[in-house]
Amino acid sequence: INNVFGLPIYKSEVRNHAATKPVVMEEVKKLMADPRCLTQRNNEPVYSDYRLGNDPATRRYRDCVIEAVKPNINEFAQSMGARSVQMGGIWFQHYERFSFHNTHIIGQPFFMVYYVQFDPKEHEPTAFLNPMRLQVQMYEMRGLCAPSEFKPEVTEGTLIVFPGYLGHFVPL
């Protein structure tokens, strides 16, 4: 667990990623063909099944992902002193080059991002905003430096768990 802005951010590699990726990507590609999964942001496509509801038949990749990340999530829970973990909603996001996702928060205690497909030449990792932005601005006004954001180094197969109230975005 990394201490970032005084908050826990857990990063690890999904051990069974090589077997998980083809199963997940096959299902994601089918969903990407559904026009309800396409959103245009500044004329750039972003694909997601977020708005399709919670019917398990819609997200055939769900069980595969949960099985793959379960050891990582259990390790995170143990490190936080939690006795159990309840998995909530799951959805995919697929960005094309130059696509982005504005700053937002998730209304859950913790949230995870699993980088099933990630090419550092084409993609940017999730960036986290310092929750003490006013303090950062005051430092900057005085010519001092304070980190305003944190962008972890990720590779394909990386899992990140972070507080859902931590502002984050996907940069261009």
Side-chain angles (χ1 to χ4, degrees):
I1 292 188
N2 297 300
N3 183 337
V4 179
F5 310 130
L7 300 171
I9 296 184
Y10 169 84
K11 179 180 136 185
S12 66
E13 301 306 314
V14 174
R15 294 167 189 95
N16 199 20
H17 175 70
T20 304
K21 179 184 175 178
V23 174
V24 172
M25 291 310 300
E26 180 180 340
E27 294 301 322
V28 165
K29 285 181 183 173
K30 290 176 191 173
L31 285 164
M32 286 173 63
D34 184 332
R36 298 174 299 164
C37 292
L38 173 63
T39 303
Q40 292 286 348
R41 292 196 179 129
N42 291 341
N43 294 322
E44 295 295 334
V46 175
Y47 299 90
S48 177
D49 61 348
Y50 179 77
R51 292 183 175 84
L52 296 186
N54 291 320
D55 180 6
T58 302
R59 294 181 176 89
R60 297 179 194 274
Y61 60 85
R62 183 183 192 280
D63 291 341
C64 181
V65 169
I66 288 174
E67 279 304 309
V69 303
K70 194 179 288 186
N72 306 71
I73 297 301
N74 287 338
E75 181 181 89
F76 167 71
Q78 283 181 338
S79 69
M80 295 295 292
R83 287 180 269 174
S84 65
V85 174
Q86 181 179 3
M87 299 285 261
I90 185 171
W91 61 90
F92 82 88
Q93 296 277 138
H94 175 87
Y95 302 96
E96 299 290 330
R97 189 172 188 176
F98 304 117
S99 297
F100 67 97
H101 195 157
N102 292 330
T103 301
H104 60 286
I105 61 171
I106 306 296
Q108 299 294 325
F110 284 92
F111 187 71
M112 72 177 194
V113 176
Y114 173 25
Y115 296 89
V116 176
Q117 184 177 40
F118 185 84
D119 179 351
K121 294 176 186 152
E122 296 286 322
H123 307 114
E124 289 286 331
T126 305
F128 301 94
L129 292 175
N130 188 331
M132 303 195 20
R133 286 186 284 283
L134 289 176
Q135 183 179 7
V136 170
Q137 290 174 350
M138 288 175 28
Y139 273 52
E140 288 172 352
M141 287 172 23
R142 292 186 174 108
L144 302 171
C145 184
S148 60
E149 66 182 52
F150 169 71
K151 202 182 327 181
E153 289 185 30
V154 302
T155 59
E156 192 170 279
T158 298
L159 176 78
I160 295 180
V161 181
F162 57 94
Y165 56 84
L166 182 58
H168 58 282
F169 64 98
V170 177
L172 287 172

